[in-house]
Amino acid sequence: MSVLSRVMTWARVKSPWIIHFNTGACNACDIEIVAALTPRFDLERFGILLKGTPRHADVMVCSGSVSRQIEDRLRRIYEQMPEPKFVVAVGACACSGGVFQGCYNVRSGIDKVIPVSAYVPGCPPRPEAIIDGVVKLLGTLQAPPKPPIRTVGIAPQP
Amino acid sequence: MANVTIPVGPQHPALKEPECFKVTLDGEKIVGVEIRLGYNHRGIEKACEERTIVQSQYILERVCGICSHSHSTCFLMAVEEAGKIEVPRRALWIRTLIGELERIHSHLLWLGVAGHELGFDTLLMYTWRDRELVMDLLALISGNRVNYNMNVLGGARRDITDAHRAEIRKALPVFRERTAYYARVAQEESTLIARLSGVGRLTKEEAIFYNANGPTARGSGVDRDTRRDDPYLAFPELEFEVVLDDHSDVYGRTLVRIGELMQTYDLIEQIIDGLPEGPIGPARAIRRVAAGEAVSRYEAPRGEDIHYVCTNGTDKVERVKVRAPTLGNLPAVVRMLEGGFLADVPIVVAAIDPCFSCTDRGIRVARSQGQDVWDADALRAYAIEFYRKRGLDLTRVKAPGR
């Protein structure tokens, strides 16, 4: 690894900017993503910042079973992101379609449309699980490429 | 200068959900708004017809992640009425309690999102920090933070123990204190008042005409609340006043929501004090439901939720129809935006507390004699005629795209 690429990886890992895109989710995953960014969980301590446009983002956080209407937009927004780009699928629907699997209007999973780097299961996943997924993704940026990460869902408190 | 059309959505920093508002501008002024729905259409109503009632309850809970308890309760209330299933009193009170806890989380969430849309991110961080308290309570009672699954057909899934009640009692003073602080911010913070006053105006007459519901209507002084007008669950036995405001703009809607938060704390206190003893559900799980049909209404945090259910004596439903509160509020949004400024679009849209995942789940194809597919003009003519017979003149409502 050259010095320049080492510096670039360091910068990327210290401050990844994310874009959140709802691809037909029920809002549950979306509010948990926002909850992860707010004071109790505070994702910003990892340098993660929520941006409004895909052109500024390194990581796209997707939630929801991709509906047919949104499929083209998802592809278009993914193409607008600069390289290198990563996608985190949050929630059972984004991973595999979840309860909506088999519905006539859903594609059952982000990875049917665009490549996914990390999967966070759960309906919805707790904010801790989302943070775990994002941090694990950042860990892989420093290491040589490996198969996609699957985080283990954190059990709810008794 | 020629008019400019700007699409807001389906991916837009101001909208948390995919929806498209095509805004036509003359300079900075909005002259026309066209809403395009359906990006979030998943086909839930069709999916319910293929699944058993027990499974449908789970899928309807995921109509919307924020008012999940509202949708599943509304659906089960309709099924129970259609199948004449008796629900124990304690279960009704537990359902009410979860519904009111959900209202706290939804209104605090809204307050934060509204702050965010104004560029007042401190408010977002404050309210979302306080919201974690109610999320903890919900996780303690139901085991999950968002989709609680507290209902079963004919009862409640989990009981409220004394430990739960003690935790809720401990949290209520904190909520009251924080909400009183937000109420003070809303009443005294001059920047906030100046930003919200006069934005997204909707007069009382317009609110009634465009069929606004929930806090959107109450913020315009329309005295309408399903919990009082058509009491369900434990509401016949509870005492509360409907919170009204006559500012008729985004500021009024904010005050209504903060007032409702205070009201909800009193309701929760009444519920945990008066929780009746007894069983929480049927001894054996009910699977088949007698044939019948019913409509149920439920005051969700965003407005009135309506479910129509037709059962056929098997373990499946013949038909489910969901009318989510946001769908009822959308015509009013078009009215609120017209004549306003482009910079006000995010807060005006956010002010109805939109939930497009609720709105987009079903499309109905109208069929009639010999004519299988109706075009927009025919449907509009039919609708105008339908309502004219019932004494309402809808010719003033603009059709989209015209």
Side-chain angles (χ1 to χ4, degrees):
Chain A
M1 223 194 261
S2 73
V3 176
L4 183 65
S5 68
R6 274 219 299 276
V7 170
M8 279 173 68
T9 310
W10 172 82
R12 199 164 282 139
V13 171
K14 291 299 175 194
S15 145
W17 286 2
I18 63 169
I19 179 173
H20 165 218
F21 188 42
N22 177 332
T23 56
C26 72
N27 266 338
C29 296
D30 308 291
I31 59 174
E32 292 296 68
I33 291 168
V34 181
L37 290 160
T38 48
R40 166 78 71 91
F41 302 100
D42 198 15
L43 205 50
E44 286 189 10
R45 68 197 140 112
F46 299 107
I48 294 170
L49 203 59
L50 185 68
K51 298 305 285 185
T53 158
R55 292 174 209 278
H56 294 170
D58 305 303
V59 180
M60 175 150 70
V61 180
C62 287
S63 52
S65 53
V66 185
S67 68
R68 279 180 201 276
Q69 280 256 38
I70 209 78
E71 195 184 332
D72 290 342
R73 276 85 184 174
L74 176 63
R75 212 172 273 135
R76 215 187 295 170
I77 285 168
Y78 181 70
E79 281 162 7
Q80 284 175 5
M81 287 168 66
E83 292 281 355
K85 45 195 169 188
F86 308 95
V87 178
V88 180
V90 172
C93 297
C95 293
S96 69
V99 282
F100 303 113
Q101 215 164 37
C103 286
Y104 60 84
N105 206 37
V106 300
R107 284 294 309 266
S108 305
I110 307 277
D111 55 5
K112 304 267 178 8
V113 185
I114 53 172
V116 175
S117 314
Y119 298 86
V120 184
C123 188
R126 293 174 65 85
E128 294 97 320
I130 298 173
I131 295 172
D132 188 35
V134 174
V135 169
K136 276 189 176 153
L137 172 73
L138 296 181
T140 57
L141 296 189
Q142 296 160 307
K146 266 192 256 169
I149 319 152
R150 289 182 190 268
T151 65
V152 179
I154 298 173
Q157 291 161 0
Chain B
M1 206 178 84
N3 288 345
V4 183
T5 305
I6 296 181
V8 179
Q11 195 276 327
H12 191 274
L15 301 173
K16 298 284 165 277
E17 288 177 81
E19 214 62 80
C20 188
F21 292 83
K22 272 193 187 148
V23 183
T24 309
L25 295 173
D26 178 12
E28 279 284 302
K29 228 182 168 87
I30 300 169
V31 290
V33 182
E34 191 184 320
I35 301 180
R36 188 166 165 208
L37 297 171
Y39 291 101
N40 215 338
H41 175 70
R42 287 156 286 169
I44 289 181
E45 289 174 9
K46 188 72 195 163
C48 288
E49 291 168 22
E50 291 160 2
R51 288 160 170 79
T52 63
I53 291 172
V54 177
Q55 291 169 324
S56 297
Q57 184 215 322
Y58 290 95
I59 204 160
L60 279 163
E61 190 143 22
R62 282 151 184 84
V63 163
C64 169
I66 302 176
C67 27
S68 55
H69 184 76
S70 313
H71 281 285
S72 89
T73 309
C74 195
F75 169 69
L76 286 182
M77 276 170 14
V79 172
E80 282 151 7
E81 195 187 322
K84 304 195 175 48
I85 298 167
E86 199 65 36
V87 186
R89 227 174 123 232
R90 189 177 172 87
L92 292 180
W93 281 63
I94 291 174
R95 284 182 185 181
T96 319
L97 176 66
I98 300 293
E100 291 307 305
L101 286 173
E102 184 180 70
R103 199 179 307 277
I104 300 180
H105 116 72
S106 179
H107 279 359
L108 281 176
L109 175 148
W110 177 83
L111 203 57
V113 170
H116 174 71
E117 305 291 10
L118 300 172
F120 190 6
D121 267 349
T122 317
L123 188 63
L124 168 75
M125 295 298 174
Y126 272 24
T127 51
W128 280 64
R129 181 197 61 196
D130 299 337
R131 183 176 159 270
E132 288 301 325
L133 268 177
V134 70
M135 302 309 272
D136 285 348
L137 288 179
L138 285 165
L140 179 78
I141 294 170
S142 73
N144 203 358
R145 281 164 53 93
V146 177
N147 291 327
Y148 328 108
N149 268 331
M150 279 294 280
N151 293 326
V152 285
L153 193 49
R157 183 178 303 280
R158 291 167 191 245
D159 206 353
I160 304 283
T161 63
D162 288 339
H164 293 155
R165 281 200 271 185
E167 283 296 319
I168 296 172
R169 247 187 219 118
K170 229 170 33 193
L172 280 177
V174 186
F175 284 132
R176 283 211 173 96
E177 188 205 322
R178 299 304 302 169
T179 311
Y181 172 70
Y182 298 133
R184 221 172 62 231
V185 168
Q187 280 154 10
E188 291 172 10
E189 172 67 36
S190 53
T191 335
L192 193 73
I193 299 172
R195 182 67 186 87
L196 297 180
S197 296
V199 173
R201 282 200 66 80
L202 185 77
T203 61
K204 188 176 178 181
E205 290 70 37
E206 283 170 338
I208 295 170
F209 178 75
Y210 288 105
N211 194 18
N213 56 56
T216 312
R218 291 196 284 275
S220 291
V222 181
D223 194 3
R224 193 185 281 168
D225 190 322
T226 317
R227 291 178 289 173
R228 182 204 55 199
D229 302 340
D230 184 11
Y232 53 91
L233 300 180
F235 285 110
E237 298 167 64
L238 299 174
E239 272 176 35
F240 72 105
E241 272 170 30
V242 177
V243 181
L244 289 178
D245 195 275
D246 47 13
H247 277 85
S248 308
D249 52 15
V250 177
Y251 185 54
R253 280 157 230 153
T254 311
L255 293 181
V256 165
R257 288 199 175 89
I258 293 175
E260 277 185 13
L261 275 173
M262 283 301 199
Q263 195 80 75
T264 301
Y265 305 144
D266 295 343
L267 273 172
I268 288 177
E269 208 155 46
Q270 287 181 43
I271 296 169
I272 53 175
D273 286 341
L275 195 66
E277 294 298 322
I280 58 161
R284 284 187 64 205
I286 304 167
R287 299 207 184 277
R288 281 168 199 281
V289 175
E293 58 179 343
V295 174
S296 68
R297 301 161 72 196
Y298 183 103
E299 186 74 24
R302 287 117 197 279
E304 190 181 5
D305 191 11
I306 303 171
H307 280 229
Y308 163 80
V309 172
C310 178
T311 52
N312 54 10
T314 65
D315 58 354
K316 290 182 182 169
V317 288
E318 187 80 23
R319 180 80 174 92
V320 186
K321 170 81 190 118
V322 183
R323 203 298 306 261
T326 304
L327 189 67
N329 276 331
L330 278 176
V333 169
V334 176
R335 178 71 207 84
M336 286 180 224
L337 286 173
E338 276 168 357
F341 293 105
L342 179 64
D344 294 338
V345 171
I347 183 62
V348 172
V349 173
I352 64 160
D353 201 355
C355 180
F356 297 116
S357 57
C358 294
T359 308
D360 281 357
R361 63 318 70 166
I363 295 170
R364 180 169 164 228
V365 180
R367 284 174 196 280
S368 125
Q369 320 80 358
Q371 194 183 1
D372 266 3
V373 180
W374 288 20
D375 61 7
D377 288 321
L379 264 179
R380 185 170 149 76
Y382 176 78
I384 287 173
E385 183 58 26
F386 180 88
Y387 282 107
R388 203 178 50 77
K389 280 186 202 148
R390 288 156 180 79
L392 196 60
D393 179 26
L394 284 186
T395 43
R396 274 206 288 140
V397 181
K398 270 192 222 143
R402 256 145 268 248

